[in-house]
Amino acid sequence: MKSTDLYPYQNIFINYCRKIQNLSVSSIDMINSNLVNFWKYYSVNSSNDPNINNVNSSDVRDYLIQLDQQEHLSKKTINKYLSYLKKYFIFLTESHIISNYPLYNVKGISFKRRETIIINWMPYITSFLGKGLHPETIKLLILVAQGYDLDQLLNIRWDDINSKLSNTLKRYLINNLDFNKTSNPYIYQGKRVDKYTSLDRVTSIVKKDQQLIAFPITPRKLRQSYILSIVSNPSLSDNQLLKILHISKKSLSYYKFCANYYHLVPYKDCIK
């Protein structure tokens, strides 16, 4: 990135738009303005030194969300800005400036209806015990409700969690774990090996129970709703949130933004 560039490879990209794409001056000005704004946003929100090779689809989606939420741009304008970003990253990819095109999963976003996320389901886990759910599903609810992130789920053992649970949930786990080989089995205990080796196995089983629960129960969605349940609690300070969630200040800022952006509905309001 040259010192005169306001975003990486600005001069050569604008030259490409002018000489190869034959775009008008007004079109180039609009593209340029949007890319300057995007790079300012990314530079502020990047956890490390801003690097064009590290931009991913989530970064772009977050940028589009803030255009809607904070700048109140129309859907048409936001999707136009997305087309500018795609043009830029296609150029960088085809010119072998970056190794991977980061926007394959960004195909246009509708802002007519914001996603609804069910929160504060954690106190109601015992109410799911009589619904015929797979043990993997109940175990997932229990572990996520205890604050474990996705990288930790398969490594949690009985001794890690039993003192944190109600007697009802303790009895459930005792009845769905095998203590014959060890007094401290993994919660996601394998039959041939000590534990599950992939979260994909959990996800595939949990999906079979989705119709029985009123909110998304994939590991990623459950973790998201758990975090937003905690972040949306107005009685907790930022320091308390960081201590409870074990996340970075940057991540906390992102989730606080999400808590304001998404439509959050407490689970108790979904119970008929």
Side-chain angles (χ1 to χ4, degrees), residues 11 18-20 33 50-51 54 63 66-67 84 86 112 127 133 135 149-150 156 166 169-170 179 206 208 219 227 247:
N11 287 332
R18 183 184 300 117
K19 295 184 176 181
I20 305 300
S33 176
N51 188 318
N54 293 334
Y63 173 65
Q66 75 91 30
L67 291 179
Y84 297 158
K86 285 187 174 183
K112 289 182 178 179
S127 69
L133 300 173
D149 63 37
L150 302 191
I156 306 304
S166 67
L169 293 181
K170 279 185 183 180
F179 292 89
V206 165
K208 299 176 182 178
I227 291 176
I247 58 178

Side-chain angles (χ1 to χ4, degrees), residues 218-239:
T218 61
R220 185 182 67 82
K221 284 291 188 179
L222 276 183
R223 173 66 177 171
Q224 178 191 49
S225 63
Y226 166 79
I227 291 176
L228 294 180
S229 300
I230 306 302
V231 168
S232 61
N233 185 341
S235 67
L236 297 174
S237 68
D238 283 2
N239 285 336

Side-chain angles (χ1 to χ4, degrees), residues 59-76:
D59 296 319
V60 175
R61 286 185 183 276
D62 292 346
Y63 173 65
L64 299 179
I65 288 173
Q66 75 91 30
L67 291 179
D68 173 57
Q69 179 70 10
Q70 297 184 7
E71 299 187 28
H72 307 293
L73 300 183
S74 69
K75 172 190 172 185
K76 181 179 180 180

